[in-house]
Amino acid sequence: MDAIHTRSQVQRVLIVDDDRDIREMAVTVLEQEGFDVYGADDGDHAILLFKSMRPDIVLLDALMPDVDGFDACRAMRDLDPGGNVPILMLTSLTSGESAERAFDTGATDFITKPINWILLAHRIRYALRSSAVSKRLRVSQSRLRHAMNLARLGHWRYVYESGAIYLSDELCAMFNLEADTAMTVAQVHERLHPADRTLVQQHLDRINDQGEAQHLELRIALDDGNERLLAVLAEQVLDADGRPCEMFGVAQDITEHRRIEDRLAYLNHYESLTGLPNRVLFRDRLQQSMLEARDRNHLLGILFVDVDRFREINRTLGHETGDRLLRGIAQRLQEHQEALTTLSHRGGDEFLLLLPRLQHPEDLARTARGILGAFAEPFRVREHELHLTASIGMAMFPTDEAGPEELLRSAGVAMYRAKEFGGNAFQYYRSDMNVRAMERLATEAALHQALGNKELKLRFQPQLDLQSERPDGAEVLMRWDRPGHGLVPPKDFIPLMEESGLILSTGEWLLAETLQQVQTWRAAGMAPLRISINLSGRQFNDPALIDSVHRVLDESGVEPGLVEFEITETTLMQDVDRAIATMLYFKTLGIQLAIDDFG
């Protein structure tokens, strides 16, 4: 296989000599050795061939008319600045001056005339192998430099005898210094951060006294006023007699790496929207505070703060406005934050406040009153003036549950109890609240199954015309016949439907069932009745409401004039423009409207 050469494997030789016999002899000898040989009789022709064929090696006569070998070699090196193509100068010149001139123009080596034709092929192969090794070395060095630049890594050495510190090109570039810069120990010392100078000296003493390699991180000041953090590894170098002669080290700029680490650590412990500690950091501080409270026999408290009606504002004004509002709430709570406390944004509209050192349970109530007072002033977000309140649940340690999660859960249960009383209030946790909370969860879970299990029933309450004493219409009411519990009062499940969003699907079912009943009455011969249906705030503000009503009316065949929607005044005031547009559409359809709970 070694004797077989494909076109891509054959190496090309350019022989340049004004002696025709030498060119022909070279072609004959080298082609027999498997080379692809081209010839040129002067320097100009050689340069043209070098451009077009890109030979693997050049044999170049030094003395030729017009453009001689020296000028041709210089021109070829201009075309090949990396020196990848070996150029062997053919010459009978023996003076040192001629040799120096040839090397200055870029020659790789000499072949003296008369040429030893038997050894020529071996000289060429040796030159090609050397060139290949040099090329691989250059590529390797280039990749190493590139890798070191990417890694912001360089090396340095300190020579004991001269006291000079030599920096690599990478370190010079890193610190905006000229290449091959040498520095004195005093110059490096001046660039060190004052707080790091003693540490650096301690590590140098260990290297000199114990001969052990040392790793440290230090800060360096640049000429432009910036500061960089370096990770430095240094060790002692011994001479042939085993005596210390140098200190060698590598230094990596880890400024950006540390900045990213610090940023990740921040994101792991702080909430990005408000900049407050997140639930992870809050829990860590709570756990530490509970250990301290147990050891020192004092109280700690938690306030679980939930913004009342925030979800309605978020739905009505959009999430961007909601985010701005949350930042405003966080800022106002921070203004009322006392020393040693931790304020955390739990997520959504929930905030937590840890009071680690309480003298009396009343201290917790005093803080809660202060927070409620912080909500007294309206919040201004863009063109909106928003009046808010909050519901606060309070739990204490060691009075209440023992673990961090239990304590947080207790405060959350108390917060929901405060919300049940209408919000803008605070509640201490009591053990019986857990029972109520579990009942609430069970009720909500059962509600999700109620519609599918046909547990929801419709009742129609007649509306009488006082003059004729005849039915003028009817109001549809929804009842829940819960298995094992009987009829559940509306106040115990309608608010849960509102909070969970079940009111949307249930409301569409109620409208469809009601209109079906109207058709049933009509088929039985009853006169048409106007049917009043309550629309909750969640339904009225649902973007899909209009399409849903339109679809159910079309499917039922009931005239829109027989339907009356009752809407509360509070619902209409949440977004007046949108409310007007929705009501106008319903009036266009022929649906009647009534205001419920007016005033």
Side-chain angles (χ1 to χ4, degrees):
M1 292 293 290
D2 291 342
I4 301 175
H5 299 276
T6 66
R7 185 68 182 172
S8 61
Q9 294 172 327
V10 174
Q11 291 175 302
R12 288 174 290 188
V13 179
L14 174 60
I15 172 72
V16 186
D17 201 303
D18 58 342
D19 188 326
R20 180 177 180 182
D21 292 338
I22 291 178
R23 293 199 310 273
E24 289 181 352
M25 187 64 178
V27 170
T28 301
V29 171
L30 295 178
E31 283 186 346
Q32 288 177 355
E33 292 294 329
F35 291 102
D36 195 0
V37 186
Y38 297 80
D41 57 2
D42 60 44
D44 285 332
H45 188 201
I47 294 168
L48 291 174
L49 286 176
F50 187 89
K51 281 183 181 179
S52 61
M53 63 177 285
R54 300 301 293 176
D56 296 298
I57 191 168
V58 179
L59 305 181
L60 181 60
D61 187 20
L63 298 178
M64 293 182 294
D66 298 327
V67 178
D68 63 13
F70 301 110
D71 291 336
C73 184
R74 185 179 294 107
M76 290 177 185
R77 283 297 178 234
D78 289 340
L79 296 171
D80 178 36
N84 294 318
V85 178
I87 300 176
L88 305 183
M89 197 71 78
L90 304 177
T91 180
S92 57
L93 301 176
T94 57
S95 69
E97 183 179 348
S98 298
E100 185 176 346
R101 183 183 175 193
F103 282 122
D104 285 344
T105 59
T108 307
D109 202 352
F110 285 94
I111 294 180
T112 58
K113 291 183 176 180
I115 298 173
N116 186 331
W117 299 106
I118 296 175
L119 296 178
L120 180 61
H122 297 290
R123 290 291 302 275
I124 290 176
R125 289 195 178 96
Y126 176 79
L128 287 168
R129 282 199 298 271
S130 297
S131 176
V133 171
S134 297
K135 183 178 180 181
R136 287 196 295 270
L137 180 60
R138 286 194 298 271
V139 170
S140 178
Q141 290 175 334
S142 175
R143 289 174 177 169
L144 178 60
R145 282 194 300 271
H146 188 59
M148 293 177 74
N149 286 332
L150 285 176
R152 306 280 293 172
L153 180 68
H155 62 270
W156 56 271
R157 63 188 183 94
Y158 168 62
V159 180
Y160 287 124
E161 185 177 356
S162 65
I165 299 174
Y166 298 93
L167 306 180
S168 68
D169 291 346
E170 291 80 17
L171 283 183
C172 289
M174 200 181 300
F175 299 126
N176 302 322
L177 300 173
E178 293 184 5
D180 300 323
T181 296
M183 304 179 72
T184 64
V185 173
Q187 287 173 327
V188 173
H189 192 265
E190 289 176 0
R191 288 175 174 266
L192 290 175
H193 191 284
D196 293 342
R197 290 169 183 170
T198 301
L199 177 66
V200 170
Q201 189 58 54
Q202 290 173 350
H203 280 76
L204 291 177
D205 291 342
R206 290 196 194 102
I207 294 175
N208 291 324
D209 297 341
Q210 304 169 19
E212 296 179 355
Q214 296 291 310
H215 179 272
L216 71 155
E217 293 182 1
L218 53 89
R219 289 161 288 181
I220 292 286
L222 303 183
D223 291 335
D224 59 8
N226 289 320
E227 188 177 86
R228 310 302 292 180
L229 179 65
L230 300 185
V232 179
L233 180 64
E235 65 178 3
Q236 206 171 59
V237 179
L238 305 180
D239 61 16
D241 297 325
R243 292 174 299 187
C245 61
E246 289 185 1
M247 192 179 296
F248 181 82
V250 293
Q252 184 175 23
D253 184 351
I254 60 171
T255 310
E256 296 304 320
H257 179 72
R258 181 56 52 83
R259 190 172 295 158
I260 292 171
E261 282 185 343
D262 292 344
R263 179 61 180 165
L264 289 175
Y266 175 84
L267 293 176
N268 284 335
H269 293 93
Y270 290 86
E271 201 270 333
S272 59
L273 178 64
T274 62
L276 295 176
N278 61 16
R279 63 177 68 195
V280 175
L281 181 56
F282 184 88
R283 192 184 184 285
D284 288 344
R285 291 185 180 177
L286 173 59
Q287 201 161 18
Q288 294 171 9
S289 298
M290 290 176 73
L291 292 174
E292 181 183 348
R294 185 180 289 111
D295 292 341
R296 301 188 180 183
N297 195 29
H298 61 237
L299 299 173
L300 71 82
I302 291 179
L303 299 182
F304 196 125
V305 183
D306 184 271
V307 182
D308 297 328
R309 299 191 311 105
F310 176 80
R311 290 179 179 83
E312 296 176 18
I313 294 173
N314 218 20
R315 283 197 302 267
T316 305
L317 301 182
H319 290 286
E320 184 177 351
T321 300
D323 288 346
R324 288 174 180 264
L325 178 58
L326 285 173
R327 284 192 286 267
I329 293 170
Q331 183 177 350
R332 192 172 294 184
L333 290 177
Q334 283 178 295
E335 292 170 358
H336 288 76
Q337 186 178 351
E338 300 175 7
L340 302 178
T341 62
T342 296
L343 175 65
S344 168
H345 184 203
R346 183 177 171 85
D349 59 346
E350 297 176 346
F351 294 85
L352 293 170
L353 192 64
L354 168 64
L355 288 77
R357 298 176 186 175
L358 295 177
Q359 300 300 319
H360 191 274
E362 178 59 26
D363 295 338
L364 203 58
R366 176 178 54 79
T367 303
R369 291 189 191 97
I371 291 175
L372 293 180
F375 281 83
E377 281 290 317
F379 291 85
R380 289 177 174 82
V381 181
R382 291 179 172 173
E383 69 276 14
H384 305 289
E385 183 175 278
L386 303 172
H387 295 265
L388 300 175
T389 58
S391 299
I392 304 175
M394 304 184 297
M396 298 190 69
F397 177 84
T399 305
D400 296 319
E401 302 289 347
E405 292 302 326
E406 290 80 7
L407 201 63
L408 287 169
R409 186 162 54 246
S410 298
V413 168
M415 180 273 293
Y416 280 111
R417 185 60 174 162
K419 204 171 276 291
E420 288 177 5
F421 284 106
N424 196 27
F426 62 85
Q427 281 285 319
Y428 280 103
Y429 169 76
R430 300 192 313 272
S431 57
D432 65 318
M433 289 181 180
N434 257 337
V435 177
R436 292 181 57 85
M438 295 303 293
E439 289 177 351
R440 178 187 176 92
L441 287 174
T443 301
E444 186 173 342
L447 263 178
H448 279 273
Q449 307 296 326
L451 186 59
N453 293 339
K454 298 183 179 181
E455 297 168 13
L456 298 177
K457 312 293 183 184
L458 299 186
R459 298 291 182 265
F460 295 88
Q461 180 172 286
Q463 295 174 333
L464 300 179
D465 184 325
L466 295 179
Q467 291 181 346
S468 65
E469 296 185 357
R470 293 181 180 179
D472 182 54
E475 180 179 7
V476 62
L477 307 173
M478 183 165 58
R479 297 291 181 260
W480 180 20
D481 189 5
R482 184 180 176 186
H485 294 76
L487 286 176
V488 180
K491 67 180 181 64
D492 290 345
F493 72 91
I494 296 296
L496 277 177
M497 280 188 165
E498 283 274 322
E499 291 178 21
S500 64
L502 278 172
I503 197 70
L504 300 178
S505 57
T506 305
E508 184 172 341
W509 167 83
L510 183 147
L511 178 60
E513 287 290 306
T514 299
L515 298 186
Q516 183 178 346
Q517 183 62 56
V518 169
Q519 292 291 51
T520 301
W521 287 335
R522 178 177 293 177
M526 289 181 59
L529 284 177
R530 172 181 46 82
I531 302 296
S532 295
I533 300 172
N534 286 290
L535 284 184
S536 71
R538 187 77 177 266
Q539 288 176 277
F540 189 76
N541 290 313
D542 180 22
L545 174 66
I546 290 176
D547 290 340
S548 173
V549 171
H550 207 291
R551 182 176 61 257
V552 173
L553 283 171
D554 285 346
E555 292 174 355
S556 68
V558 174
E559 299 90 332
L562 296 179
V563 177
E564 179 183 79
F565 285 147
E566 293 188 5
I567 307 160
T568 64
E569 180 188 14
T570 304
T571 297
L572 296 178
M573 296 305 294
Q574 289 175 2
D575 187 343
V576 175
D577 292 339
R578 183 173 179 174
I580 291 173
T582 302
M583 289 191 296
L584 284 175
Y585 182 81
F586 285 152
K587 292 297 289 183
T588 301
L589 285 179
I591 294 174
Q592 301 182 59
L593 298 171
I595 305 299
D596 197 11
D597 297 336
F598 183 74

